[in-house]
Amino acid sequence: MALVIAGERSGVGKTTVTLTLLASLRRRDRLVQSFKVGPDYIDPMFHQYVTGRACRNLDPVLTSEAYIQQCFARYSQLSEYALVEGVMGLFDGVSSLVISHLSFAKDKGQRINDKGQITDFASTAHISRLLDLPVVLVIDCSRLSGSVAAIAHGYRSFDPRIKIAGVVLNRVGSDRHLSLLKDSLEPLQLPILGVLRRQDNITIPDRHLGLVPTAELPELNALIDRLADLGDTCFDWQRLLPLLKSEPLSFSTSSSLSSSFPVRIAVARDRAFNFYYQDNLDLLQQLGAELVFWSPLEDADIPKDIQGMYFGGGFPEVFAQQLSENSSVCDAVKTAILKGMPTVAECGGLMYLCEQIIDFEGKSWSMAGVLPTSAVMGGRLTLGYRRAVALQDNLLVKANTTVYGHEFHRSHLTLTPTQPLFETSRYDCEENMGCEGWGLPANIYASYVHLHWGESREIPQQFLKECLKVASLGTCI
């Protein structure tokens, strides 16, 4: 048993409710493992900050249904309680074209073209069914009273396979408002598991790609304390604790890895670069790599005695001036790559390898200068799952391999690569998204598409094989 926190739509307060639950549980010294449905990086940072345990993403597009079951079983059994935060609205998933796939590097199976039909693949409801978990529905009550019953009834009856354990009423304005909501819900006999009043003093700042990450919030401890105070009083813990209790599951949790790559990988991790799936980092370590975390913002040089570099996504545009002023590191990164250092750079990492980042105000900041293009910030959001077919052998995958990833950025490049890594299309329809990704020099992999390696160990294995070549030649930096 564990519990899924779902919303009737985006923006109803799922993350606030989830963090409130986690903060209150941790105040009680309870071990709790959290999970996040979908590809998001930032919400899991907050989960981890509260629980002290890495949050795990559950995304069947980026991995597979089997991987989600195995991942949940493996990590939920290591704690007393388990909690899953959903994505968007309960039934919001991928529609029109469903890809049934097994792994990144293998045949994905048949495409089922159900155009005109709606599916909730990769939705919170899908994950709830997959793991057989009950759902708590968070409802934003700020602009409704009696209509709350229609919403709750509709969500409970829409899919009989989903068990709605109860509701959390968020943004309740007054005692009279709460009384109207309770009276409306009473005929449904649906438990009210929590009531959160409008909280002007509990606000998590956001910006162009969502919440501001934890590393940039100096007042975060005080915020978590306020959430824990709220959680102690606003939930029906007598009903919630049995639902949250983690129990052993029967899914296979085997994760044998045969290869060993004794290499050192420099992983950029600071306020500018912090979008990493924990499973990706774990796989590198399980394969024998030593991860050396460092900061392109603060450090005077790249780490010594390394055989590879990994730049995740993040917000280099926010810290473009500081990155640019740390020119010795920019130069060191460029020198290492030109000497043959295998380097993976996703989204924000790709931007850092460009000649320049041009920020929202039109100011230009010099970057590492490995790629002959500039990243320009703009108002247009590029967002969605991608199906990408490799056009050539590259640092991570072989030609004609299909991978599934996710894009989420507000920048574009001034020049496109002459020999791109991938031809991309939307995951849920046949719309072609063009070619993208840089693989020249041949020892780099730079792409806007974020990949989760959990269902394809061939990807980190291929990366580490190239790093091992550097180690065997004695050319480590």
Side-chain angles (χ1 to χ4, degrees), residues 223-275:
L223 173 63
I224 298 304
D225 285 341
R226 292 198 296 272
L227 288 172
D229 291 340
L230 176 63
D232 289 345
T233 58
C234 73
F235 293 120
D236 185 343
W237 286 104
Q238 189 172 1
R239 283 175 164 171
L240 275 172
L241 282 178
L243 294 172
L244 289 162
K245 189 73 175 177
S246 180
E247 300 291 345
L249 298 175
S250 59
F251 303 123
S252 171
T253 60
S254 60
S255 58
S256 59
L257 292 171
S258 57
S259 304
S260 179
F261 302 91
V263 296
R264 284 165 52 90
I265 306 298
V267 180
R269 188 163 69 178
D270 56 19
R271 289 170 297 156
F273 304 101
N274 44 40
F275 288 7

Side-chain angles (χ1 to χ4, degrees), residues 121-144:
F121 187 81
S123 69
T124 304
H126 181 199
I127 302 304
S128 173
R129 294 194 303 268
L130 199 60
L131 301 177
D132 193 23
L133 299 181
V135 169
V136 170
L137 184 68
V138 180
I139 302 177
D140 178 0
C141 301
S142 59
R143 293 178 177 84
L144 55 85

Side-chain angles (χ1 to χ4, degrees), residues 44 75 114 116 123 140 196 255 280-281 321 348 354 356 360 384 444:
Y75 294 106
D114 62 347
S123 69
D140 178 0
L196 279 70
S255 58
N280 288 11
L281 301 177
Q321 180 175 355
C354 292
Q356 295 176 319
F360 286 108
I444 67 167

